[in-house]
């Protein structure tokens, strides 16, 4: 008898069913339900994580907060003032969450550092970039130029320090024995980034061959003209006018 009662209680007990609803930004559909993308929690909160936990408590305690590939319900105050879902997005609520607790809310992909287009022809696959690559001196510069949204480099204009701690000691920018190092590793801090305008100026041309692709204007805006993965001959063959190549 006790066993039967236990089974009935288990069946009648409320079941948690974590589902992302209301705001589906920074998610992807995996064939069964929506889950968070890696970019959803790639940033850091602007205030302490502890403060964010107070402002934006978990929707279902057993499910926790948004994490890549999980489908925990996003804390409702992150995007709405409603007490239950589904609920309409209240932009003021979402703006406040983005400015203070984007990681806790699983909204990093919509912050200015992560919300930008990548170049049309990246030298690597932007969607497979890992957090380790984002901090690697071997990868950071290429990622900033080709896949800025993958690592939060959207506000850097393609210019980042290969070594993240360059700004800790600005004297290295002028130190005689450090010039080779800073030219390679501290380009942003020491203002050593090359200018795409400079790279494309001084051609001496007054006219250019017609673009062979109707997509050249978009490609140029996304960095095709200065992407060294493609030879100058290739860039000229496709987009001589848009890239101002003789």
């Amino acid at each position: 008898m006790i066993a039967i009662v236990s089974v009935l209680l288990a069946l009648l007990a409320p079941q948690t069913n974590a589902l992302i609803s209301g705001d589906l930004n920074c998610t992807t559909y995996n064939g069964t339900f929506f889950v968070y993308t890696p970019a959803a929690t790639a940033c850091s909160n602007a205030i302490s994580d502890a403060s964010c936990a107070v402002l934006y408590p978990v929707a279902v305690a057993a499910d926790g907060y948004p994490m890549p590939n999980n489908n925990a319900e996003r804390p409702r105050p992150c995007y709405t003032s409603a007490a239950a879902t589904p609920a309409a997005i209240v932009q003021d609520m979402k703006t406040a969450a983005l400015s203070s607790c984007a990681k806790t809310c699983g909204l990093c992909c919509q912050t200015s550092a992560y919300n930008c287009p990548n170049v049309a022809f990246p030298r690597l696959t932007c969607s497979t970039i890992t957090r380790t690559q984002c901090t690697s001196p071997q990868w950071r510069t290429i990622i900033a130029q080709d896949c800025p949204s993958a690592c939060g480099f959207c506000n850097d204009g393609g210019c980042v320090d290969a070594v993240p701690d360059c700004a800790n000691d600005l004297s290295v920018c002028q130190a005689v024995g450090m010039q080779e190092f800073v030219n390679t590793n501290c380009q942003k801090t020491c203002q050593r980034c090359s200018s795409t305008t400079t790279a494309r100026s001084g051609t001496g041309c007054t006219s250019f061959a017609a673009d062979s692709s109707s997509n050249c204007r978009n490609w140029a805006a996304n960095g095709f003209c200065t992407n060294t993965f493609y030879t100058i001959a290739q860039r000229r063959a496709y987009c001589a006018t848009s890239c101002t190549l003789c």
Side-chain angles (χ1 to χ4, degrees):
M1 182 66 179
I2 294 176
I4 295 175
V5 171
S6 298
V7 171
L8 289 174
L9 289 174
L11 292 173
L12 293 173
Q15 302 294 312
T16 60
N17 184 22
L19 289 174
I20 304 170
S21 61
D23 189 340
L24 296 178
N25 285 291
C26 306
T27 70
T28 186
Y29 189 68
N30 69 0
T32 304
F33 38 66
F34 286 95
V35 297
Y36 294 101
T37 65
T41 58
C43 62
S44 297
N45 290 319
I47 62 177
S48 71
D49 292 348
S51 296
C52 287
V54 173
L55 293 172
Y56 302 100
V58 292
V60 179
D63 297 330
Y65 283 102
M67 292 289 290
N69 299 315
N70 82 4
N71 67 334
E73 183 181 349
R74 181 177 276 124
R76 284 186 288 277
C78 292
Y79 67 94
T80 186
S81 55
T85 57
I89 295 175
V90 177
Q91 195 56 50
D92 286 348
M93 299 288 288
K94 185 169 180 178
T95 298
L98 282 168
S99 65
S100 58
C101 301
K103 180 177 182 179
T104 293
C105 291
L107 291 171
C108 289
C109 79
Q110 291 202 291
T111 61
S112 62
Y114 288 85
N115 188 17
C116 66
N118 297 316
V119 299
F121 300 98
R123 287 167 284 181
L124 65 169
T125 304
C126 298
S127 61
T128 64
I129 292 172
T130 65
R131 298 306 302 166
T132 300
Q133 286 177 285
C134 292
T135 58
S136 167
Q138 287 74 35
W139 288 104
R140 282 171 58 85
T141 301
I142 295 174
I143 292 172
Q145 294 170 354
D146 289 20
C147 305
S149 68
C151 295
F153 295 150
C154 291
N155 297 328
D156 294 313
C159 176
V160 296
D161 292 331
V163 178
D165 296 328
C166 289
N168 288 347
D169 182 5
L170 296 179
S171 68
V172 298
C173 297
Q174 305 301 325
V176 174
M178 294 293 291
Q179 293 310 294
E180 183 177 352
F181 176 86
V182 299
N183 286 341
T184 300
N185 297 297
C186 302
Q187 293 185 357
K188 181 178 182 180
T189 294
C190 297
Q191 299 181 349
R192 306 297 170 82
C193 294
S194 60
S195 168
T196 56
T197 301
T198 301
R200 293 173 59 189
S201 65
T203 61
C205 297
T206 57
S207 62
F208 307 92
D211 292 339
S212 63
S213 172
S214 60
N215 293 318
C216 283
R217 180 173 295 182
N218 291 332
W219 292 351
N222 286 322
F224 173 74
C225 297
T226 56
N227 191 329
T228 55
F229 177 80
Y230 303 95
T231 66
I232 293 178
Q234 289 173 318
R235 285 175 270 167
R236 184 188 299 114
Y238 283 101
C239 304
T241 295
S242 293
C243 294
T244 62
L245 293 172
C246 298

